[in-house]
Amino acid sequence: MNSLPIGIFDSGIGGLTVLRAIRDRLKSENLLYLGDTARVPYGTKSRTTIERYAVEDAAFLVEKGVKLIVVACNTASAMARERLREEFDIPFLTVLGPGARAAARQTLTGRIGVIATEATIGSGAYERAIREAVRNEDETRAIEVFSKACPLFVPLVEEGETDSDIAKQVAVKYLAELRDRKIDTLVLGCTHYPLLKGVIAETMGNGVTLIDSADAVAEEARILLARLDLLNDDITSNYSRFYVTDAAGRFHRIAERILGAPLDHLEAVEIWGHDRLNTTATN
Ligand code: DGL
């Protein structure tokens, strides 16, 4: 059981920022990554559609026999978390809570910005999670949360345009109003956005700390697996396997650049209809 892989999914390549952090922190864990590249982006779709995609993603990973699923997509975390918990009897970790808690710990002024997809911002899930995290630390503390949807960031990242003039122009367009809000902490509320960190940091200027939830998620995964007595201590044959729903060649190129290492196993798969599988608990 302990040597079963951790399943990680995202709409595309963004979740690789989370996989990278998990791989760094939990070196002996086996990992399966699913990028739903045929249907990216999720962030412009309706709740019903995002729920269906997330259930199909999770069902695919459950069928592969994972011991934990990390939803490395804020959009799926915000829109489909309850649905996933209803449908599957397996531990889930989403990126939204760890990011919100990290922001609550970081801010000094209580002025926090959140950037994410339209669906995530529209759901209000980050603002609720940040307020809850701050309340848990200090009930009397006043905070203000300023949210901004940045829909063009995901296609820019999927195109590998992470440091170009176009990326800079788009960042200035989206982030100007957050600069005026005098925030001291900015949550990168989409797993694609850490790949634009340089451009975002330059646009926001000094004095604003960017929160990338990947490290916080990796640490929470370690704590959760330890609590469930599911950590893998066999370091002899560790693997990371990658699955995509389309355009494997493109994913291959970009993923190797992001991870800084060759991919041992990459496979194109069809996951449609996986929500109708009879998925049983694997622990
Ligand atoms: N990377 C995902 C997120 O964190 C999804 C982006 C998208 O597909 O729109 O929200």
Side-chain angles (χ1 to χ4, degrees), residues 68-272:
L68 162 71
I69 291 185
V70 176
V71 182
C73 173
N74 288 271
T75 308
S77 302
M79 306 297 272
R81 192 171 45 157
E82 285 75 28
R83 180 77 195 280
L84 289 170
R85 293 228 157 95
E86 274 164 33
E87 298 266 343
F88 302 99
D89 185 14
I90 184 172
F92 275 95
L93 195 61
T94 69
V95 279
L96 209 138
R101 286 188 280 279
R105 283 192 301 273
Q106 177 63 40
T107 184
L108 294 175
T109 62
R111 300 177 72 81
I112 300 172
V114 178
I115 51 174
T117 65
E118 283 173 277
T120 302
I121 295 297
S123 74
Y126 253 110
E127 178 153 357
R128 282 195 298 279
I130 291 171
R131 289 191 183 283
E132 190 188 322
V134 170
R135 242 191 339 267
N136 288 342
E137 299 214 336
D138 174 1
E139 271 195 21
T140 60
R141 180 146 198 224
I143 56 152
E144 283 197 86
V145 180
F146 305 96
S147 302
K148 175 80 184 163
C150 304
L152 288 173
F153 278 174
V154 169
L156 281 172
V157 170
E158 290 283 329
E159 289 298 323
E161 293 270 347
T162 49
D163 197 24
S164 62
D165 284 344
I166 303 173
K168 285 180 193 147
Q169 281 170 30
V170 173
V172 169
K173 173 178 149 61
Y174 284 144
L175 302 177
E177 65 182 69
L178 288 177
R179 284 186 54 148
D180 293 346
R181 299 290 192 176
K182 304 270 181 283
I183 56 172
D184 74 343
T185 304
L186 178 62
V187 179
L188 307 181
C190 168
T191 52
H192 282 70
Y193 297 0
L195 297 164
L196 290 164
K197 223 182 225 169
V199 167
I200 295 171
E202 189 186 318
T203 310
M204 292 308 294
N206 292 335
V208 178
T209 304
L210 305 186
I211 303 289
D212 168 358
S213 55
D215 285 333
V217 172
E219 178 56 13
E220 292 202 14
R222 191 191 62 72
I223 293 168
L224 179 61
L225 289 175
R227 185 156 54 78
L228 297 172
D229 204 12
L230 282 177
L231 280 169
N232 185 24
D233 41 25
D234 176 7
I235 51 164
T236 51
S237 59
N238 301 114
Y239 60 82
S240 299
R241 296 190 183 131
F242 299 84
Y243 299 89
V244 290
T245 51
D246 199 10
R250 199 159 187 286
F251 179 90
H252 191 256
R253 254 191 339 273
I254 301 177
E256 286 198 339
R257 210 179 59 224
I258 294 170
L259 299 175
L263 305 189
D264 294 335
H265 178 103
L266 171 63
E267 204 179 316
V269 292
E270 281 201 8
I271 61 169
W272 340 128

Side-chain angles (χ1 to χ4, degrees), residues 6-20:
I6 299 172
I8 302 168
F9 78 82
D10 180 40
S11 59
I13 59 171
L16 292 172
T17 57
V18 177
L19 177 132
R20 190 170 57 186

Side-chain angles (χ1 to χ4, degrees), residues 22-119:
I22 293 177
R23 202 152 85 169
D24 286 351
R25 194 170 291 246
L26 297 169
K27 294 193 177 9
S28 55
E29 294 299 330
N30 298 312
L31 306 177
L32 295 191
Y33 183 89
L34 172 66
D36 190 7
T37 46
R39 305 188 290 196
V40 65
Y42 283 8
T44 50
K45 312 243 167 28
S46 67
R47 179 182 290 274
T48 314
T49 299
I50 296 165
E51 278 186 354
R52 177 160 58 84
Y53 290 176
V55 167
E56 289 177 343
D57 296 337
F60 171 80
L61 292 170
V62 169
E63 196 194 7
K64 288 271 171 211
V66 297
K67 61 183 176 184
L68 162 71
I69 291 185
V70 176
V71 182
C73 173
N74 288 271
T75 308
S77 302
M79 306 297 272
R81 192 171 45 157
E82 285 75 28
R83 180 77 195 280
L84 289 170
R85 293 228 157 95
E86 274 164 33
E87 298 266 343
F88 302 99
D89 185 14
I90 184 172
F92 275 95
L93 195 61
T94 69
V95 279
L96 209 138
R101 286 188 280 279
R105 283 192 301 273
Q106 177 63 40
T107 184
L108 294 175
T109 62
R111 300 177 72 81
I112 300 172
V114 178
I115 51 174
T117 65
E118 283 173 277

